[in-house]
Amino acid sequence: MMKRNLLAIVIIIGLIGYAIYDIKGQEKDKKTATQKSENTEQVEETTASEVTSSGKSGINEGDFAPDFTLQTLEGKNIKLSDYKGKKVVLNLWASWCPPCKAEMPHMQAFYEKNKDKQNVEILAVNLTTMEKDRANIQTFVDDYQLTFPVPLDEKGDIGVEYQAFSIPTTYMIDSNGTIQRKIVGPMDEEFLNKMVSSMK
């Protein structure tokens, strides 16, 4: 009888402990979800010249853009941090996406005219895990005669890290590696020129 009572007490203590642990876990999850929500809701209206570096890595305006290394279609390794000293237009796209198709001629025209004049590089990261067929990427590049680097996000990590939930998504990164602006949706040549000109 005594053993049964002791066992019952141990079980009750265990259940109480689990309940406390579970409540704390839920509170932590809620706090994390709230922080993520606040980060996502930060406005993208700040002009590039107004943003200064926060000194930390992240995807908000003022953060240092998270570094990555990806391979291009040709098998060349591309590392974002290798472009420090240049302005970078980091574009995330897929070949089946109509707005991506709409902006690519504008990006190519801008690149041809400004890559040296404005010390700018376009990195058009293809979200390869979202493609039905890898061959479509090369067809797209050939059709639009793209001459800027096209790194492949073959594992999907960069699309997730840079929150490319709606595409195209573009980050304007200044010569210090700081994110100055995030743009969701297609851009034209005039808008690109304005954005890049406003960065140091």
Side-chain angles (χ1 to χ4, degrees):
M1 186 75 176
M2 193 170 174
K3 282 183 181 177
R4 281 185 188 172
N5 288 342
L6 190 60
L7 184 61
I9 290 167
V10 169
I11 290 170
I12 290 166
I13 290 170
L15 288 171
I16 291 168
Y18 177 77
I20 291 168
Y21 173 80
D22 192 44
I23 288 165
K24 284 185 177 176
Q26 286 178 10
E27 284 173 356
K28 189 178 177 182
D29 289 346
K30 280 181 188 173
K31 190 176 178 183
T32 305
T34 306
Q35 284 173 343
K36 282 184 181 174
S37 172
E38 284 170 358
N39 287 345
T40 308
E41 287 167 10
Q42 285 194 357
V43 225
E44 295 162 8
E45 294 303 317
T46 315
T47 57
S49 56
E50 292 173 335
V51 179
T52 54
S53 172
S54 66
K56 65 184 177 71
S57 178
I59 60 159
N60 294 313
E61 293 171 359
D63 290 346
F64 286 119
D67 201 11
F68 59 79
T69 302
L70 294 174
Q71 274 198 345
T72 64
L73 279 167
E74 299 76 31
K76 180 186 174 186
N77 280 341
I78 293 283
K79 191 174 183 182
L80 178 61
S81 57
D82 286 346
Y83 292 92
K84 196 167 181 183
K86 280 193 166 193
K87 303 171 188 181
V88 175
V89 177
L90 177 63
N91 179 261
L92 298 107
W93 65 282
S95 65
W96 48 264
C97 154
C100 302
K101 293 177 182 179
E103 78 173 355
M104 279 300 174
H106 293 279
M107 287 175 61
Q108 181 58 36
F110 168 81
Y111 187 66
E112 287 173 8
K113 295 173 192 171
N114 295 283
K115 61 180 177 178
D116 297 322
K117 188 169 68 173
Q118 296 217 45
N119 188 34
V120 63
E121 187 61 80
I122 292 178
L123 296 182
V125 175
N126 174 264
L127 302 173
T128 314
T129 54
M130 296 173 71
E131 297 285 355
K132 289 179 184 175
D133 186 345
R134 186 186 166 113
N136 294 340
I137 307 166
Q138 187 64 64
T139 303
F140 188 98
V141 169
D142 293 342
D143 287 349
Y144 289 94
Q145 299 178 355
L146 306 181
T147 57
F148 41 76
V150 179
L152 307 177
D153 183 18
E154 295 184 277
K155 293 181 180 176
D157 298 342
I158 308 309
V160 170
E161 183 166 27
Y162 278 86
Q163 295 186 1
F165 304 134
S166 179
I167 54 175
T169 291
T170 304
Y171 288 85
M172 297 291 172
I173 303 169
D174 70 18
S175 57
N176 292 320
T178 304
I179 293 173
Q180 295 292 326
R181 183 85 183 262
K182 177 183 178 181
I183 298 108
V184 178
M187 306 172 292
D188 61 21
E189 188 180 347
E190 185 183 350
F191 181 79
L192 264 167
N193 198 47
K194 182 183 172 187
M195 287 293 100
V196 172
S197 297
S198 66
M199 292 196 293
K200 58 181 179 179

